Amino acid sequence: MRSIITGDESWVHHYDPESKMQSMQYRHKNSPAPKKFKVVASARKVLLTIFWDMEGIVHIEFLEQGTTINSERYVSTLHALKGRLRRVRQDKVKDVVIQHDNARPHTSRQTQCALQQLELPTIPHPPYSPDLALSDFFLFPFLKKHLKGNHYETDAEVEADVRSWCRSQTPEFFADGMRKLVQRWRLCIERDVDYVEK
């Protein structure tokens, strides 16, 4: 587990409304229900790409407005990741194994060639298995819960808050995520590759 570095992408909105649970108010049983208006997430958003391991965040970057994740961009991210590994995880650069889902930019021929060239082996990810994508079921829900209800004027404000939240998490938080991945792998095997909800 110590050699696994997991990575994924997720949209981060300038404003994401609170959930019903977060916006609940205490009221007397005879008082009228508060009026609530339907609120939706803002259209302004940035795409976060993050790689992390049992110790914490290894590499984080945000995509410029108007660009998308494709193979070329993902290869550029992998090169940046390898450089960052040399600086922050020198002891495990040679032993690292990448765990990411099977989105097209992650599985393209161009990406596979770059992974070989960079000597970054990957853990095979079964198709249609979002339940085994570690960031999707562990990291992003906690991050988005923190961001809910906050208003950001600029991309820089969003990025600063995301980085601040990531720095505030302990190594035990990240190690717990890795342990949860192993639990899901076991459940998947026990259920004969059936989908794992929780």
Side-chain angles (χ1 to χ4, degrees):
M1 278 187 350
R2 295 194 177 281
S3 62
I4 296 173
I5 292 184
T6 186
D8 210 344
E9 301 87 22
S10 183
W11 287 107
V12 182
H13 292 268
H14 281 226
Y15 173 67
D16 194 5
E18 292 178 317
S19 66
K20 284 185 180 181
M21 183 68 93
Q22 288 173 313
S23 65
M24 285 178 65
Q25 300 173 359
Y26 173 79
R27 62 185 185 85
H28 190 273
K29 65 179 181 178
N30 295 331
S31 61
K35 290 188 178 183
K36 291 190 179 180
F37 299 94
K38 184 172 180 172
V39 184
V40 295
S42 69
R44 294 179 62 201
K45 58 190 177 182
V46 285
L47 188 63
L48 162 69
T49 302
I50 193 163
F51 284 89
W52 56 283
D53 64 6
M54 284 189 79
E55 298 173 48
I57 302 300
V58 176
H59 180 68
I60 188 169
E61 64 184 35
F62 296 87
L63 201 62
E64 303 84 30
Q65 289 286 343
T67 55
T68 59
I69 285 282
N70 56 23
S71 299
E72 188 175 311
R73 174 61 194 218
Y74 194 64
V75 165
S76 170
T77 298
L78 291 172
H79 280 277
L81 171 65
K82 184 72 175 204
R84 184 96 173 118
L85 277 169
R86 288 188 186 110
R87 290 192 302 279
V88 299
R89 300 286 192 272
Q90 299 140 348
D91 56 322
K92 64 194 255 181
V93 173
K94 293 202 182 285
D95 301 324
V96 75
V97 180
I98 301 294
Q99 191 262 346
H100 55 195
D101 63 18
N102 50 14
R104 190 176 299 291
H106 301 173
T107 59
S108 72
R109 183 176 297 150
Q110 185 178 1
T111 300
Q112 296 308 310
C113 289
L115 286 164
Q116 282 184 332
Q117 176 196 358
L118 293 167
E119 297 177 345
L120 292 172
T122 59
I123 296 171
H125 189 86
Y128 313 111
S129 301
D131 55 321
L132 299 177
L134 183 50
S135 293
D136 285 342
F137 76 77
F138 182 77
L139 183 72
F140 293 148
F142 284 107
L143 171 61
K144 291 188 177 188
K145 183 177 179 184
H146 163 75
L147 298 173
K148 272 192 177 296
N150 296 336
H151 289 267
Y152 303 98
E153 294 298 319
T154 64
D155 290 354
E157 287 179 14
V158 176
E159 294 171 18
D161 198 17
V162 169
R163 289 180 192 278
S164 172
W165 181 86
C166 288
R167 280 192 301 271
S168 72
Q169 303 310 305
T170 64
E172 183 55 35
F173 170 80
F174 294 102
D176 187 46
M178 287 293 174
R179 286 190 290 269
K180 284 184 171 45
L181 176 63
V182 173
Q183 290 170 359
R184 284 183 177 230
W185 283 342
R186 284 192 184 120
L187 272 173
C188 187
I189 293 165
E190 288 167 11
R191 293 178 183 183
D192 198 21
V193 196
D194 201 4
Y195 189 81
V196 179
E197 282 288 337
K198 294 193 178 197

